[in-house]
Amino acid sequence: MTMLTREQIEQGLHENRQTPNGTARNAHAEALVGAAEASGDQALFREALDNLINSYLYSSESPKMLVPFARLLQEYDKDPGAFSEWEAHSLFWEFKWVASAITDSPEIPLESAAGWLDEMERRYRIAGYSERPVRKAELWLADAIGDDERAERALAAWLAADRDDMSDCHACELNGQGQYAVLRGDDARALEMWQPVLSGERTCAEEPHRLLGTSLLPLLRLGRYDEARSNHLRGYRMARGNESLLPTIGRHIEFCALSGNESRGLEILAEHAAHLHPLANADDQRAFHGGILVLLRRLRELGHGQSPAVPYEGVPHTVSELYEVLRASSLDIARRFDARNGTTRVSDRLLARIGREPLVDVLPLGVRSSALPQAEPASAVRPGADALPAPDTGDGFAGLVERARQARDRGHPGADALWTEVAARLDGQPEGDMDPLVAADVADHRALTAARAGAADAAELLAAVRDGYRALGQAERAALAELRLATLAAQSGAAPERMRELLRVARRSAEALDAGEPLRERRIALAELTSLRVESYLRSVESTEEHDHHGHGHGHGHDELAAELTGFVAAYGGTLPDLAAEAEEMLGRIGLAQGDPERAVPLLAAAAARAAAAGRPWQAVDPLVLRAGVLLSLGRPEEALEAARSALEYSEEVVDAEAQAVVRLTLADILLRRPDTAQEADEHALGAAHWFDQAGLSGDGGAQARLLLARAHARKGRTADAAEVLQSTLPDLLEHGEGQAVAAREFLGDLLQELGDPRAAAEQYLLAADVTQGWDDPRPQASLAQSAADQLSAAQLPQEAVAAYERSLELHRISGDAPVAEVRILRSLAWLDLREKVDDASVARARTRMQEAAAVLDAALAAAPQRRDLRSELAQTWQQLAQVLDRWVTTYEQDEDGEGSAERPGAAQIEALRLEEVALSERAAGIYAELGPDHLGDRLHCVQYAAWTEQELGREEAGAARMSALIDELRALPGGAPETLLERAQYVLDRLSS
């Protein structure tokens, strides 16, 4: 094998430090240690060992650091003086990692672990370091072996010891202290200690990444669900794919299993399936697999044991099979720890973890997640289930039947669920014991369910129900079945004459009821209202056919129906208000269809009011939701909000998941348009997404709800949460048309930009720009390309940024109405010209760009001299050109050998450039002076720049005079200048005068 040179090894070490953590980085680091040792260069060997220790630490192979650390320690003992101050500090710092790795390695005997701890204590004492890290290591060793008294003493000593250069960062220390509090059952205390880390006040390379995951179950146990949801979204985003954070990934999976989000837990597991194998770090494996086992156990309990899970070591497994494999391997690790520690603590904690029960039935997270297949029929979550009518008489099965009949007669949304329960109990009774009327009612329920589902045998079932009721003397129920047969025919697209005949039969059946029948009027009115609906439909169909044949259409269909419905309301408003409410809602919808929303608004309000007054608040929900939307479109947001809030209030007993979702989506949309209700909008958008999921509409209404939820999160400053929610539903939004796709990608790009991920942000902007390429208006594409270019520049991708800027510039010039955008692009291109190399050619290109930008502004100002924004941009352009020249001069002054330039300028040329800088700054300051007090800060910046440049020229007095004159002017302003500006100006003057 060819020997590597020192330069090659150093380059390899540099590259290795930039490589993502994991086994590939470790293997390369190991090879570099071998090469460094073979070179005989001891300093290089020590550097390679240190790099290998760091590589192991941030991977799943952290226990392997013991060997290179022991070798590095030998090197130190042989010649401590060979270690620089930094190298010695690094060695002692790594002692802490080793102490943790020893405790977490069951193969290392307890005596050896204790010996390493003693060695650490001895060396720290000799080196003059605090015992604080030693006591921390002792705490976790004592806890592992079940010596709680020693652990408490170690904790007290840890907290009492001084902090020094060898102490862990505050974030890591608070993590450990809080974890110990959780083990002692004090979740509240732990969260109090963790707050500085969770809030971002205290951070480090792995915090709050780890702590966001650790906090999840304590938050759930304390009922702090919103915080738990946010910590999961934010924390998983930070931990995803990080090999050294697999235990944290396990916590997120466990959280999903215990919060009713098993499907998301499966998705997270699938994303990390490549790590689902025996790990070099046995403790990490136990922690990672432990969280997975909680999920797998829950899935088995939910009936998914035979569903496919992710493969394990390349072999496909069902959920139950994978559970058994991981449980056996995890218990084996735990028992190895127990054997070393002389206690069952590790096994006990593992079994307790695997057996944890859910902490909440369902905690909606907001993110899109594929639903689990139903292992068995599951009852839908029913809001307001407790509000179902209570039986007046009877108990047991008879009471249930009475309750179901009352709900049916009231039109209560919970009636179907009650009849389903009646049917289930009836099926378990001997046929001879069945009440014929109950059996007929159950048959009626099943026939109606079949009709709603469009079943092929629905008409046959309804006819049988009609005949059954007639045989039992239930004429009013039979009349209702006749009407349902007519309605089914209309829904099925039967011939017009067939529909009309069935409606006539239904009407005659209702009219034939005894005069003393309490429901006679209702049956007649219902038949009449149904006939109005069907006849209106038939008239529209026949009118359309006439239009197709004769070239003229109908113009009076809506008017005729409106007149009929108005008559219906007048006839039945006093006796059957719920049916009158239906008619009024139809009238409101006709008004909307005719383009008259102002007429629709009071009709929808009246329909809702009638329904509520009739004791059917659930019937008021649809007209109120529709009314809220109409009012919003009419620019009456306060009334819209009132209507939406009323709809939500009345929806308490609604069992239809889509209806629940639409109410919340409407309310969230209205609230998000207001400046001060983002929190409430957030809550309702989250609820809407959840209910759309329940309705099987995740990709439709659910996508819109999640888009609103992401905007609400962003409005509240929860950018990471917003990005997670939006990314989860982005594939759905991309299917909702080009406009939606572009808006969603642009929004995601904005979020990623705010999160400090410019490369990913640029990708979203570019993908959005690609969608707009076929649009007639070039401006959206130009703006998106410019945003992408800004982010590509921030991501240190200059060539890609230049291409995007040039694309945007060309498009802006086609539109011809965005001079500010053109100017900013030209200035950005000027600075990119200087990124790779600052020489005569690059500065000349940058100068040309700046001058071109100024020319664009001059032309725009000639057409619109009143535009203050254009004048401000012109001032910025001259000031930035001055900074370009400063970069040129500074580069020459720093490049003593003149490398990189064809000819080094003389003193006269440098002086000329500095004088040009002063002139440009004066020019910019003059524009800002004309723009007035709003630009005092900008003006001060230009003046002080000119003053410092004059100092560079040896003209300190002139520079000081500039600042002094500006200070006098600022003090003379009516009302005075801001104190901060005066202080800044005085500071510069004092420095110039010193």
Side-chain angles (χ1 to χ4, degrees):
M1 180 180 292
T2 305
M3 292 276 291
L4 297 179
T5 65
R6 176 185 178 84
E7 290 73 19
Q8 289 172 326
I9 296 171
E10 288 178 336
Q11 180 62 27
L13 290 170
H14 173 74
E15 293 172 355
N16 189 254
R17 294 184 188 103
Q18 313 305 316
T19 302
N21 300 322
T23 53
R25 179 191 176 191
N26 294 348
H28 185 210
E30 290 165 358
L32 290 170
V33 166
E37 186 175 21
S39 74
D41 187 324
Q42 292 304 110
L44 190 60
F45 179 49
R46 293 194 300 272
E47 183 180 355
L49 286 171
D50 180 80
N51 177 69
L52 180 57
I53 293 166
N54 278 271
S55 296
Y56 284 144
L57 174 70
Y58 294 107
S59 75
S60 60
E61 299 181 318
S62 55
K64 289 185 177 182
M65 75 172 72
L66 297 176
V67 173
F69 178 77
R71 297 189 69 184
L72 191 58
L73 195 60
Q74 289 174 357
E75 292 293 312
Y76 180 80
D77 289 338
K78 284 192 298 185
D79 187 6
F83 280 64
S84 68
E85 182 179 350
W86 182 90
E87 287 176 326
H89 182 277
S90 179
L91 175 69
F92 279 89
W93 186 271
E94 290 163 355
F95 234 122
K96 299 183 298 181
W97 303 343
V98 169
S100 177
I102 289 171
T103 301
D104 295 342
S105 301
E107 291 75 18
I108 297 178
L110 193 58
E111 297 77 12
S112 297
W116 269 98
L117 190 61
D118 291 341
E119 181 69 7
M120 178 182 178
E121 181 176 9
R122 183 184 70 82
R123 287 180 179 268
Y124 271 41
R125 185 172 59 252
I126 293 172
Y129 290 122
S130 168
E131 67 171 350
R132 194 175 180 92
V134 179
R135 300 286 76 87
K136 176 185 174 183
E138 181 186 8
L139 165 67
W140 292 115
L141 180 61
D143 177 73
I145 64 178
D147 190 344
D148 293 337
E149 290 185 6
R150 183 182 178 186
E152 290 291 339
R153 291 195 303 272
L155 175 63
W158 172 15
L159 298 177
D162 293 334
R163 286 188 58 82
D164 64 4
D165 289 347
M166 210 46 59
S167 299
D168 283 343
C169 75
H170 286 284
C172 289
E173 284 205 335
L174 290 172
N175 184 339
Q177 292 162 17
Q179 285 197 55
Y180 188 73
V182 170
L183 290 174
R184 295 296 173 264
D186 196 345
D187 290 335
R189 174 62 180 151
L191 288 165
E192 182 182 348
M193 286 190 285
W194 290 337
Q195 186 54 36
V197 184
L198 295 175
S199 67
E201 180 184 339
R202 301 283 189 181
T203 62
C204 70
E206 290 195 327
E207 296 297 354
H209 313 48
R210 296 181 301 170
L211 199 43
L212 286 164
T214 306
S215 70
L216 295 173
L217 296 193
L219 286 168
L220 282 184
R221 286 192 287 262
L222 293 174
R224 293 161 61 173
Y225 300 135
D226 191 56
E227 293 171 75
R229 178 188 301 112
S230 180
N231 285 7
H232 167 64
L233 296 178
R234 185 162 61 106
Y236 180 61
R237 183 178 186 84
M238 299 174 81
R240 179 191 284 123
N242 192 327
E243 185 177 289
S244 69
L245 294 178
L246 289 176
T248 299
I249 299 298
R251 290 190 177 96
H252 284 280
I253 292 173
E254 179 180 14
F255 163 79
C256 291
L258 301 181
S259 63
N261 291 286
E262 295 84 4
S263 60
R264 175 158 172 87
L266 271 177
E267 291 170 1
I268 295 174
L269 174 58
E271 288 181 351
H272 295 84
H275 299 289
L276 196 62
H277 54 73
L279 303 177
N281 187 324
D283 197 56
D284 277 6
Q285 179 180 333
R286 177 183 59 83
F288 177 41
H289 291 183
I292 297 170
L293 283 166
V294 179
L295 172 66
L296 297 175
R297 194 208 84 235
R298 281 290 300 149
L299 290 170
R300 294 209 314 179
E301 292 174 351
L302 294 171
H304 298 286
Q306 298 310 307
S307 298
V310 297
Y312 182 73
E313 295 192 292
V315 179
H317 285 78
T318 65
V319 166
S320 289
E321 290 168 346
L322 184 59
Y323 174 80
E324 296 298 338
V325 169
L326 297 188
R327 187 176 189 276
S329 62
S330 297
L331 281 174
D332 177 66
I333 292 173
R335 287 166 182 152
R336 282 156 51 199
F337 274 108
D338 290 345
R340 184 195 74 169
N341 297 340
T343 174
T344 61
R345 169 158 288 184
V346 176
S347 293
D348 292 343
R349 285 178 175 171
L350 175 63
L351 290 171
R353 182 185 189 186
I354 295 173
R356 283 174 179 157
E357 292 300 319
L359 296 167
V360 59
D361 289 339
V362 178
L363 176 66
L365 300 176
V367 288
R368 172 81 144 88
S369 187
S370 300
L372 292 173
Q374 288 293 338
E376 57 187 33
S379 59
V381 180
R382 300 196 308 275
D386 293 339
L388 292 173
D392 291 338
T393 60
D395 53 23
F397 182 67
L400 175 64
V401 171
E402 180 62 22
R403 192 180 181 200
R405 284 173 176 160
Q406 289 182 15
R408 179 191 66 192
D409 293 344
R410 285 182 59 206
H412 195 284
D416 283 346
L418 289 170
W419 281 114
T420 299
E421 179 65 20
V422 170
R425 294 196 194 183
L426 192 67
D427 288 343
Q429 292 187 4
E431 187 172 345
D433 296 341
M434 290 185 186
D435 181 330
L437 183 55
V438 174
D441 286 340
V442 168
D444 182 35
H445 162 67
R446 287 172 171 163
L448 183 57
T449 302
R452 288 169 179 162
D457 61 346
E460 181 182 345
L461 292 173
L462 284 170
V465 166
R466 175 199 60 198
D467 296 342
Y469 276 131
R470 283 178 178 169
L472 292 170
Q474 298 290 317
E476 64 88 9
R477 297 297 304 169
L480 183 60
E482 291 279 18
L483 184 58
R484 286 176 176 164
L485 278 167
T487 303
L488 178 63
Q491 292 171 344
S492 303
E497 282 309 312
R498 175 61 177 163
M499 293 185 213
R500 289 185 170 114
E501 174 59 28
L502 288 172
L503 285 168
R504 285 193 291 269
V505 169
R507 178 66 179 261
R508 288 196 299 267
S509 295
E511 291 172 341
L513 293 173
D514 290 343
E517 168 59 54
L519 293 175
R520 183 176 184 274
E521 183 183 20
R522 173 172 286 276
R523 295 289 176 258
I524 293 172
L526 191 56
E528 183 179 339
L529 185 59
T530 304
S531 295
L532 292 178
R533 286 194 181 104
V534 174
E535 277 299 329
S536 172
Y537 164 71
L538 292 176
R539 284 197 298 265
S540 69
V541 171
E542 291 165 350
S543 177
T544 300
E545 291 174 351
E546 183 179 348
H547 171 74
D548 291 341
H549 286 96
H550 303 291
H552 58 85
H554 65 94
H556 306 290
H558 283 312
D559 292 336
E560 186 176 351
L561 177 59
E564 292 167 342
L565 289 170
T566 301
F568 183 92
V569 173
Y572 296 106
T575 56
L576 298 171
D578 59 307
L579 294 182
E582 287 187 42
E584 276 184 317
E585 182 180 344
M586 291 173 64
L587 281 167
R589 292 180 183 274
I590 290 172
L592 293 176
Q594 292 180 320
D596 191 354
E598 291 289 359
R599 177 159 59 94
V601 167
L603 287 166
L604 294 170
R610 281 188 194 274
R616 300 190 177 202
W618 54 85
Q619 190 179 321
V621 172
D622 283 351
L624 284 171
V625 168
L626 182 57
R627 183 171 185 267
V630 174
L631 287 166
L632 194 62
S633 69
L634 292 173
R636 294 155 65 180
E638 294 302 322
E639 294 174 77
L641 180 59
E642 181 183 358
R645 288 199 191 283
S646 296
L648 181 65
E649 178 185 352
Y650 289 143
S651 71
E652 181 181 354
E653 298 176 63
V654 172
V655 299
D656 180 73
E658 183 178 1
Q660 288 284 349
V662 170
V663 171
R664 287 162 172 79
L665 182 65
T666 302
L667 185 52
D669 185 25
I670 296 170
L671 289 166
L672 200 55
R673 296 167 188 262
R674 299 164 63 91
D676 56 349
T677 51
Q679 175 61 43
E680 191 181 355
D682 186 302
E683 295 167 4
H684 293 305
L686 178 66
H690 170 70
W691 284 111
F692 277 124
D693 290 346
Q694 295 292 310
L697 298 170
S698 297
D700 299 313
Q704 298 305 315
R706 287 185 171 87
L707 180 58
L708 283 181
L709 179 60
R711 294 197 183 283
H713 281 334
R715 179 86 64 81
K716 293 164 57 186
R718 290 165 53 174
T719 310
D721 298 29
E724 277 294 292
V725 169
L726 185 57
Q727 282 183 305
S728 75
T729 199
L730 184 62
D732 299 321
L733 293 170
L734 297 180
E735 300 297 321
H736 290 199
E738 288 187 350
Q740 183 86 92
V742 169
R745 286 201 184 278
E746 183 177 16
F747 181 27
L748 181 55
D750 294 344
L751 294 172
L752 294 169
Q753 177 183 348
E754 191 172 342
L755 289 170
D757 193 348
R759 187 186 292 259
E763 180 184 9
Q764 293 303 322
Y765 291 137
L766 288 172
L767 288 169
D770 288 344
V771 175
T772 67
Q773 282 187 359
W775 294 6
D776 293 336
D777 186 352
R779 288 174 294 183
Q781 186 185 169
S783 177
L784 289 163
Q786 185 174 354
S787 296
D790 290 339
Q791 293 308 298
L792 289 167
S793 179
Q796 305 297 314
L797 296 169
Q799 292 181 348
E800 293 85 348
V802 167
Y805 275 132
E806 289 178 343
R807 173 185 177 187
S808 178
L809 184 61
E810 179 183 359
L811 292 164
H812 278 307
R813 285 174 171 168
I814 291 173
S815 68
D817 61 354
V820 172
E822 286 187 55
V823 164
R824 290 179 178 177
I825 291 171
L826 288 165
R827 292 199 305 244
S828 296
L829 286 169
W831 287 109
L832 284 170
D833 284 331
L834 303 178
R835 179 168 288 188
E836 294 294 325
K837 193 175 186 181
V838 180
D839 58 12
D840 295 6
S842 63
V843 172
R845 289 194 300 272
R847 181 194 282 273
T848 299
R849 301 270 199 194
M850 291 292 184
Q851 291 171 337
E852 187 179 351
V856 170
L857 290 166
D858 286 338
L861 280 166
Q866 75 285 357
R867 285 187 57 178
R868 295 169 57 85
D869 62 324
L870 296 178
R871 296 169 70 194
S872 174
E873 292 291 334
L874 183 59
Q876 288 186 52
T877 302
W878 293 131
Q879 187 59 41
Q880 287 194 36
L881 177 53
Q883 292 166 340
V884 166
L885 300 180
D886 177 70
R887 174 79 66 86
W888 194 11
V889 173
T890 303
T891 300
Y892 281 136
E893 290 175 344
Q894 292 174 346
D895 184 9
E896 294 181 358
D897 298 327
E899 294 181 4
S901 60
E903 182 178 347
R904 183 171 178 79
Q909 184 179 352
I910 290 177
E911 182 179 3
L913 290 170
R914 288 297 192 195
L915 288 171
E916 186 178 358
E917 288 181 56
V918 172
L920 288 166
S921 297
E922 285 180 328
R923 196 170 182 179
I927 296 174
Y928 286 132
E930 294 170 3
L931 289 172
D934 290 344
H935 291 272
L936 287 176
D938 296 320
R939 184 182 174 194
L940 171 58
H941 173 74
C942 295
V943 172
Q944 72 183 35
Y945 185 96
W948 285 118
T949 306
E950 288 192 298
Q951 185 192 50
E952 293 279 342
L953 289 166
R955 297 161 49 178
E956 294 87 350
E957 292 182 2
R962 285 180 186 278
M963 292 303 304
S964 181
L966 180 60
I967 291 171
D968 291 342
E969 185 178 340
L970 292 175
R971 286 175 175 159
L973 286 173
E979 194 62 34
T980 53
L981 286 183
L982 283 169
E983 290 175 357
R984 192 169 117 205
Q986 188 63 50
Y987 172 79
V988 174
L989 177 59
D990 293 343
R991 292 287 303 276
L992 288 166
S993 304
S994 62

